[in-house]
Amino acid sequence: MKFVVQVRLFPTPAQEAALADTLRLCNEAANVVSRIAWEINTFRNYDLRRHTYSALKEMGLSAQPAQHVIKKVADAYTTVRAQVKAKLREALMRPIGFRCDAAQPFDDRCLSWQIPARTVSLWTTHGRTKGIRFGCSDEQARLLAAYRRGESDLVHRDGLWLLIATCDAPDTDVTDPDAFIGVDLGIANIATTSDGVKHAGKALNAVRHRNRQLRRKLQAKRTKSAKRLLKRRRRAEARFARDINHRISKSIVTEAARTGRGIALEDLSGIRERVRLRKPQRVTLHSWSFHQLGSFIAYKAARAGVALVRVDPAYTSQECSACGHVDKRNRPDQETFVCMSCGFAEHADVNAARNIAMRGVAGWAAVMQPNAA
Ligand SMILES: [Zn+2]
């Protein structure tokens, strides 16, 4: 199973200068390669190497970085050519351009990790730069030490230096669960479990609300600086949401693993429609975030050997988890569930999560049937 671990670097001013010069030179080199590729109509990695390698050496790139630059360009053309086939023909009317701070891959010969010391050393145009500090959690450090394989991307984004490391862990055998934790996704509560644990969306919703207000105010201006500010805010919001999704998914998977249960999650393919019914303007804001949470739960569950089932979420909010009676009136408002038939009362999200948990049991039984297709 492949995943990435992203760490933030804390370079000294001298190290930062080395990183910045390196990214700039690598991307200048990428643009040189891209123009040559374009002129001679040659886009494959090995063919390009023959035509561009010496030019890159002359620019001051050593062997490994030069090869990575060429491969980066070749990969970019492969991606765009795939899009061209789809429809964006005009995308290839000129060479692909690389921003001076575009991401650059480093392999183990150009980058080494000292995980216990929380430092990296890497090739830069200023020579080998050692002892660049990075920050990460203990869990990330454990994952890096155990599973990091191959290349890491150096990225400079919103003034932050980041390393995105590729990790590859062997798949763990999934434990046959005794029961399921159901997870209901929502807006007031991002995730609610059938155990009654609620992960509130208050902080995230506040950030989103502030950004929406700001967007409204700045959209009228249409200046470059306003656009830049908005972009920065959006990215900060995305980072915040990502961080929250990591914490929620970890908490759910840890609890499932601890209690020998599987996880039942609503099938997210219908989430747009479902959320639209609640609040139209929030659809796009939230659907990517739900999908991200779903994928975080999925890969953390796979890593821990926890069974995961996706269930049909239809009527989970209207169905009574005690007697099965389905009625719109069972849910008079956002928070309340009271069954019209048996009188069972529970927080609406917890009731929905309990339904999802029960559907998980049924879904798992179907998956485990020996002669299932
Ligand atoms: Zn009932």
Side-chain angles (χ1 to χ4, degrees):
M1 177 195 30
K2 289 213 183 335
F3 60 99
V4 299
V5 169
Q6 176 180 302
V7 303
R8 179 172 171 196
L9 298 173
F10 298 99
T12 63
Q15 289 170 338
E16 177 161 28
L19 293 179
D21 285 347
T22 303
L23 263 199
R24 196 177 54 235
L25 182 71
C26 286
N27 287 306
E28 275 169 20
N31 282 320
V32 168
V33 174
S34 180
R35 277 195 296 274
I36 294 175
W38 177 254
E39 275 158 21
I40 62 174
N41 199 28
T42 297
F43 302 101
R44 278 165 44 193
N45 189 12
Y46 290 96
D47 300 337
L48 266 180
R49 230 184 249 185
R50 207 150 42 88
H51 294 282
T52 59
Y53 188 69
S54 54
L56 298 191
K57 295 287 284 212
E58 261 168 50
M59 292 180 76
L61 290 176
S62 45
Q64 282 322 68
Q67 287 181 21
H68 281 299
V69 165
I70 296 166
K71 184 166 183 299
K72 175 162 94 171
V73 175
D75 289 348
Y77 274 103
T78 306
T79 306
V80 174
R81 285 159 81 88
Q83 293 167 348
V84 169
K85 272 184 203 146
K87 62 179 162 218
L88 301 164
R89 199 160 282 280
E90 70 277 17
L92 270 183
M93 293 301 274
R94 53 176 144 26
I96 294 174
F98 293 85
R99 291 190 327 273
C100 67
D101 60 349
Q104 177 66 22
F106 286 76
D107 66 22
D108 286 353
R109 275 171 285 190
C110 307
L111 166 68
S112 62
W113 293 77
Q114 296 82 45
I115 295 164
R118 299 283 201 273
T119 59
V120 291
S121 94
L122 57 88
W123 170 87
T124 70
T125 52
H126 297 201
R128 190 87 184 180
T129 302
K130 292 181 178 166
I132 304 176
R133 289 195 307 116
F134 67 86
C136 73
S137 68
D138 290 345
E139 170 70 2
Q140 283 182 310
R142 191 185 66 74
L143 294 174
L144 282 172
Y147 303 124
R148 195 193 57 76
R149 302 273 179 283
E151 295 166 12
S152 304
D153 279 353
L154 177 66
V155 178
H156 191 207
R157 192 189 292 151
D158 301 325
L160 305 179
W161 288 95
L162 306 168
L163 267 182
I164 300 173
T166 312
C167 296
D168 194 358
D171 289 334
T172 315
D173 286 342
V174 172
T175 318
D176 197 11
D178 298 328
F180 279 82
I181 297 182
V183 181
D184 178 64
L185 303 177
I187 289 165
N189 293 307
I190 300 173
T192 304
T193 75
S194 49
D195 293 346
V197 178
K198 299 188 198 77
H199 298 274
K202 211 171 161 191
L204 184 58
N205 289 335
V207 170
R208 284 178 169 152
H209 182 70
R210 270 203 305 279
N211 284 353
R212 214 162 31 235
Q213 306 278 85
L214 184 77
R215 203 167 306 142
R216 220 166 280 148
K217 222 161 57 190
L218 292 182
Q219 242 151 19
K221 290 192 180 174
R222 289 177 185 278
T223 61
K224 250 198 165 151
S225 65
K227 270 191 195 146
R228 243 195 326 266
L229 177 62
L230 275 176
K231 194 171 168 190
R232 212 164 43 228
R233 286 291 193 88
R234 251 201 312 274
R235 285 225 180 116
E237 178 185 313
R239 272 198 304 273
F240 188 54
R242 184 187 173 82
D243 187 50
I244 287 174
N245 281 341
H246 265 305
R247 265 182 285 162
I248 294 175
S249 55
K250 186 182 174 184
S251 142
I252 292 170
V253 172
T254 307
E255 181 60 12
R258 191 184 70 78
T259 54
R261 287 180 291 175
I263 295 170
L265 202 57
E266 50 193 297
D267 182 352
L268 294 177
S269 45
I271 192 118
R272 274 179 169 273
E273 288 67 32
R274 192 172 69 87
V275 179
R276 181 174 294 135
L277 293 176
R278 293 188 186 168
K279 285 275 179 189
Q281 76 275 27
R282 293 183 176 173
V283 171
T284 49
L285 274 174
H286 291 274
S287 66
W288 71 263
S289 181
F290 287 139
H291 280 100
Q292 185 183 60
L293 178 57
S295 76
F296 286 179
I297 290 176
Y299 88 70
K300 286 184 166 91
R303 216 160 58 198
V306 168
L308 177 72
V309 211
R310 309 254 184 195
V311 306
D312 179 0
Y315 304 110
T316 44
S317 60
Q318 299 174 15
E319 182 179 335
C320 173
S321 62
C323 76
H325 177 68
V326 179
D327 194 325
K328 226 182 188 164
R329 292 169 300 168
N330 285 350
R331 191 181 175 186
D333 61 55
Q334 176 65 34
E335 294 200 349
T336 318
F337 184 93
V338 182
C339 181
M340 302 292 287
S341 173
C342 75
F344 173 78
E346 178 55 281
H347 188 285
D349 293 345
V350 177
N351 177 67
R354 283 167 48 119
N355 285 327
I356 291 169
M358 283 187 283
R359 290 181 194 189
V361 175
W364 184 253
V367 169
M368 294 303 281
Q369 234 154 53
N371 45 7

